Amino acid sequence: SVERRGRKGRRSRGFAKLDKSALPEFAASTVYLDFADQPEGPTGTGLLKILYGLRGEALPDGAVRLAAEVDAEMSDSIVKIRAAREVGNADRLLQLSNSETLAWVTSPVLRCEVAEALIALDRNDEAIAVLKSVEGAFQKAVRPKQLHGLALARNKNWQDAQTIFSELHQAGEIDPETLGIYARTWRDRYAVTHEIRHLERARDLYLSVFRAVPGNSYVGINARSEEHTS
C-alpha cells in the first residue's frame, strides 16, 4: 500500500498485491492491481498504472505504447522459453538469455524462467551462470536466489545451496517456495548421509511452512512423512 498527497492536497492510495492473500476490509472496495503472478514486482503497463495512478494523472500515450511493447515482448519471450524447454533445446535457452531488450533488462523474470528451464533439463552449471548475472543486476530479488540454491542442490553442492536458503530464511523469507526447497535439500542430504539430524531439519522446515500456510498440503504431507521416518 502506498499513499501520496497530490498537488492540491488530496490523498491518493494504491494497492498492489504480490501474493494471493486477500485484501484487508478497508481496501477491498478500492481499485487495486493484482501481481500475485509477478512476485518480483510489476513491470510494463502494470507498473505505469501504479506510478501514474498515485499521481492522479492519465497515462501518456508514448509511455503506454512503450509499456505495451514490453508486455508483448515479455509474453512472446515466455512462449519461446517454454517451447525450448519442452523440446530440450538448452542452446536456444542460452541464446535467449543473452537478449538485451527492455523486457529482459528491466526485470529478472525472463532470465529466471530460462534458468528454471535449464535446471529442469539438468543443465545446472549453465543455469547458475545465468542466475549470477541476474543476481548482480537485481540484488534484492528473491527468485534468482531460490533457483541458484536449487541448481546447487541438484549438483549435490549441499553446503553452498543451504547457505543461500539459510540466508533467505534469516532475512525473513518464509514463503512455501523458499522453505520447501530448503527442506528438500536437507531431505536429499539425508538420503546421502543417513544422518537423522538432516531428516529432522527437513521435518522442522516443512512443519514451519505448514503452520504458516495450513492449506499447503504438499508441505504438510512431507512434514508428516519425515516425522514418521525419523
Side-chain angles (χ1 to χ4, degrees):
S1 168
V2 180
E3 186 176 288
R4 181 182 184 275
R5 191 178 294 275
R7 294 174 182 171
K8 296 182 179 180
R10 289 180 297 184
R11 291 180 179 178
S12 59
R13 174 173 285 181
F15 298 91
K17 290 177 61 182
L18 296 180
D19 57 32
K20 299 186 183 299
S21 59
L23 282 172
E25 287 186 16
F26 75 88
S29 60
T30 64
V31 176
Y32 69 92
L33 296 173
D34 190 341
F35 296 107
D37 294 326
Q38 296 174 258
E40 298 303 343
T43 59
T45 305
L47 179 58
L48 282 181
K49 285 180 178 177
I50 289 179
L51 295 177
Y52 279 88
L54 286 172
R55 296 177 63 179
E57 298 177 7
L59 295 176
D61 289 342
V64 171
R65 285 194 296 272
L66 180 60
E69 289 173 8
V70 172
D71 288 343
E73 187 188 4
M74 180 81 72
S75 298
D76 183 58
S77 296
I78 286 175
V79 167
K80 291 177 180 177
I81 293 166
R82 292 178 181 175
R85 173 176 176 168
E86 183 175 330
V87 300
N89 192 341
D91 290 340
R92 173 64 169 157
L93 290 168
L94 292 169
Q95 179 188 27
L96 288 168
S97 75
N98 290 321
S99 301
E100 293 293 337
T101 52
L102 277 177
W104 285 86
V105 301
T106 58
S107 167
V109 170
L110 292 176
R111 286 194 172 89
C112 282
E113 190 89 17
V114 166
E116 189 171 359
L118 288 169
I119 292 169
L121 298 177
D122 200 26
R123 302 287 289 265
N124 298 307
D125 291 336
E126 288 97 329
I128 290 169
V130 170
L131 290 164
K132 283 182 177 178
S133 70
V134 180
E135 289 174 278
F138 301 94
Q139 296 180 14
K140 298 296 184 181
V142 172
R143 186 59 176 163
K145 295 181 177 68
Q146 290 175 332
L147 292 171
H148 192 169
L150 178 61
L152 288 167
R154 292 286 177 85
N155 275 347
K156 294 184 171 51
N157 185 344
W158 310 117
Q159 189 171 52
D160 289 347
Q162 290 178 339
T163 296
I164 288 175
F165 287 115
S166 181
E167 288 176 355
L168 287 171
H169 190 195
Q170 293 299 320
E173 295 296 334
I174 57 171
D175 62 282
E177 183 100 26
T178 296
L179 294 192
I181 300 174
Y182 189 21
R184 178 61 187 265
T185 66
W186 285 104
R187 188 170 68 175
D188 290 347
R189 188 170 177 180
Y190 167 76
V192 175
T193 65
H194 301 293
E195 292 188 33
I196 198 66
R197 61 190 178 92
H198 294 159
L199 191 62
E200 289 172 344
R201 183 62 177 141
R203 177 202 62 198
D204 292 344
L205 285 165
Y206 281 130
L207 281 172
S208 68
V209 180
F210 186 64
R211 288 180 185 127
V213 190
N216 193 314
S217 57
Y218 170 78
V219 294
I221 291 169
N222 278 297
R224 180 59 62 89
S225 172
E226 312 306 356
E227 198 167 48
H228 285 309
T229 306
S230 59

